[in-house]
Amino acid sequence: MESDIERAGRLMLASKHVVGLTGAGVSVESNIRPFRGPGGLWTEYGEPPMDGYQRFLANPKEDWEQRLSRGGYRRELYEALEVAKPNPAHYALAELEELGVLKYLITQNVDNLHRAAGSKEVAEIHGNFSKLRCIQCGSRYEREEISLEALPPHCPRCNGVIKSDGVMFGEPIPSDILRICEEETSKSDCMLLVGTSAFVYPAAGFPQEVKRRGGALIEVDPYETGITPFCDVSIRGKAGEMLPRIVDYIKVKPQRGESST
Ligand code: APR
């Protein structure tokens, strides 16, 4: 009986343009809590207001002061983000890229752990917590480049207001990032979903798009999610345990066109 790990590996090897889509679950084994489900931050603190960005625009100074005071969920999340290290799931995805099997990786995580694990072809659709971004010209800066003495900080290039690079609820995804994600999704004939409840759009629409065009979906998650019924293979387990097994299978499996004898 072929295992789900083998089926997932064979499906990825048979595909031409595998794209990964990761969510908070891939970083749970790096001690960053997910947002929803068991142990979720929103499960404990409640979902933040859906108009977070409009509130920021209405009073950026106040929003920055709240952000820096680290009230509510922010203290725990930021402290976890500041000390987090990649786990075997992040390294497995970086290795799949190196093996030429994974062509691109879209992450909803702001934790920078995919890059820290060595992934190169990465789009951070919800931004990166170690960066800041100008809401006028879109320029991004490393946190250390911008003084937070006067709030809100302003862009050294265009004097626009600067916010964290993390995409707030109600904020449009920066067009440069959204374009790349849509391009890679449109080329994809197989999407590997890891640790996402596939609940938040536009990211949740990407696997549906791949499926609509006849592509395959592979999921790795300890629990069933909203996308499970549409998946060709749905592996119940932790990303840090399951992804290295898929890599091991792929590494021993003859590549396309190579004979097994
Ligand atoms: N390995 C794999 N998946 C896991 C693990 C694990 N060790 N632990 C939990 N999960 C799964 C959960 O079962 C759940 O399906 O990860 C998923 C996490 O879902 P969410 O918490 O909803 O995270 P995500 O899908 O990334 O949320 C999307 O919502 O709140 C916003 O901006 C935030 O980027 C986030 C977006």
Side-chain angles (χ1 to χ4, degrees), residues 23-25 29 34-36 42 108 126 169 195-197 200 221-223 239:
E29 293 150 88
F35 297 100
R36 297 172 189 84
W42 303 160
Q108 298 167 85
H126 295 157
F169 282 106
T196 180
S197 57
V200 174
D221 195 302
Y223 306 98

Side-chain angles (χ1 to χ4, degrees), residues 3 6 9 18 39 47 49 51 61 84 93 101 109 121 138 140 142 165-166 168 188-189 205 207 221 225 234 250 256:
S3 73
E6 292 168 345
V18 181
E47 290 246 6
D51 61 349
K61 182 171 187 300
L93 289 161
V101 173
N109 302 342
E121 299 297 332
R140 292 183 179 87
E142 297 300 325
D165 185 40
M168 297 173 177
S188 179
D189 58 351
D221 195 302
T225 69
S234 187
I250 283 174
R256 256 192 316 262

Side-chain angles (χ1 to χ4, degrees), residues 14 17 20 28 46-47 66 95 111 114 119 132 163 170 185 191 200 214 218 222 238-239 243 249-250 252 258:
H17 201 86
V28 165
E47 290 246 6
Q66 270 177 11
E95 194 168 357
D111 56 34
H114 286 301
S119 288
L132 303 177
K163 64 178 288 293
T185 298
M191 190 162 264
V200 174
I218 299 167
K238 295 180 175 179
L243 289 179
Y249 173 81
I250 283 174
V252 297
E258 277 176 24

Side-chain angles (χ1 to χ4, degrees), residues 176-192:
D176 55 342
I177 302 287
L178 187 59
R179 193 177 323 110
I180 297 168
C181 294
E182 289 173 341
E183 254 167 41
E184 290 298 326
T185 298
S186 70
K187 290 190 271 182
S188 179
D189 58 351
C190 178
M191 190 162 264
L192 173 64

